[in-house]
């Protein structure tokens, strides 16, 4: 099933479950806080371990793709030439940034605004996102980098259309021609 659809379904289910939890009870609130901290520590540890594994493998295979331009900008895609190692490290860096932003947002909502449901929901969603992260699947779970896990990773949308970098030879050649024309 599509990641966007499962996120939506899981959010709806978790909202219903969280309504049944008595967060007013200090004992239960303490356990939810502990669970949140443990889950976030586990997620961060897994991402750091993934980046360590990527650095150990040191895959220097060249990876070329055309990164799509931002919508409505009128620009054309940008040619990116990198290595598998650098690409995977950049992807893990994006995942880590997402976790840090999530922690900051949940901390604001819980400590400043007093909401407790997001602690519970983010614990479950964080684990789900960890197991669905493509670099984790490739480097920790040992899945082959083919199909959905082929680099560069494509982002799936709720509508089932996969958007992402172009890897076909024609798009790469056309981007190289544009770069050559600019340099002359």
């Amino acid at each position: 099933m599509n990641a966007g659809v499962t996120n939506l379904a899981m959010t709806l289910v978790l909202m219903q479950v969280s309504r049944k939890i008595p967060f007013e009870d200090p004992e239960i609130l303490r356990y939810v806080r502990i669970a949140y901290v443990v889950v976030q520590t586990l997620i961060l540890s897994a991402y750091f371990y993934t980046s360590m594994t990527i650095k150990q493998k040191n895959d220097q295979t060249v990876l070329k793709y055309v990164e799509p331009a931002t919508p409505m900008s009128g620009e054309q895609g940008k040619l990116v030439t990198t290595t598998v190692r650098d690409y995977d490290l950049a992807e893990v860096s994006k995942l880590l940034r997402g976790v840090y932003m999530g922690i900051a947002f949940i901390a604001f909502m819980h400590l400043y605004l007093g909401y407790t449901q997001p602690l519970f929901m983010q614990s479950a969603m964080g684990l789900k996102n960890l197991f669905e992260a493509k670099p984790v699947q490739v480097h920790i779970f040992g899945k082959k980098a083919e199909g959905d896990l082929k680099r560069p990773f494509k982002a799936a949308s709720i509508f089932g259309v996969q958007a992402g970098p172009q890897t076909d030879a024609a798009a790469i050649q056309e981007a190289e021609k544009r770069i050559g024309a600019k340099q002359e």
Side-chain angles (χ1 to χ4, degrees):
M1 193 185 297
N2 189 337
V5 173
T6 57
N7 279 347
L8 184 62
M10 193 166 174
T11 301
L12 293 173
V13 168
L14 288 173
M15 284 176 62
Q16 295 303 316
V17 171
S18 68
R19 288 183 180 167
K20 306 289 183 197
I21 299 173
F23 289 111
E24 304 82 33
D25 184 359
E27 182 95 8
I28 290 177
L29 183 57
R30 184 167 15 113
Y31 286 134
V32 170
R33 287 175 178 158
I34 290 170
Y36 177 76
V37 169
V38 167
V39 166
Q40 297 308 313
T41 304
L42 175 74
I43 292 168
L44 289 171
S45 300
Y47 287 154
F48 284 124
Y49 179 73
T50 303
S51 70
M52 203 170 64
T53 304
I54 292 167
K55 290 174 185 173
Q56 283 178 342
K57 288 182 182 178
N58 198 25
D59 188 353
Q60 294 298 316
T61 306
V62 175
L63 181 65
K64 279 187 176 182
Y65 60 92
V66 178
E67 195 171 90
T70 56
M72 308 284 205
S73 69
E75 298 175 1
Q76 294 180 338
K78 184 177 86 171
L79 178 67
V80 177
T81 304
T82 185
T83 63
V84 169
R85 175 189 187 269
D86 293 338
Y87 179 79
D88 286 352
L89 285 174
E91 290 297 311
V92 172
S93 178
K94 288 179 194 174
L95 292 169
L96 280 167
R97 224 172 307 133
V99 172
Y100 293 144
M101 291 299 292
I103 290 172
F105 184 69
I106 295 297
F108 170 75
M109 287 185 65
H110 180 64
L111 299 175
Y112 185 72
L113 299 176
Y115 293 117
T116 53
Q117 281 182 334
L119 289 173
F120 171 73
M121 293 179 64
Q122 194 60 30
S123 296
M125 293 299 289
L127 284 175
K128 177 192 171 296
N129 292 337
L130 172 66
F131 288 112
E132 287 182 350
K134 292 178 181 181
V136 171
Q137 289 182 4
V138 171
H139 294 286
I140 293 186
F141 298 138
K143 293 185 178 180
K144 298 277 187 213
E146 54 193 28
D148 286 345
L149 299 177
K150 186 176 182 217
R151 294 175 190 93
F153 303 131
K154 297 197 184 302
S157 72
I158 289 181
F159 306 112
V161 178
Q162 290 197 341
Q166 296 175 320
T167 57
D168 59 297
I172 292 172
Q173 284 179 346
E174 201 251 294
E176 287 174 340
K177 285 180 189 176
R178 272 185 292 147
I179 291 172
K182 286 181 184 176
Q183 290 176 351
E184 293 175 3

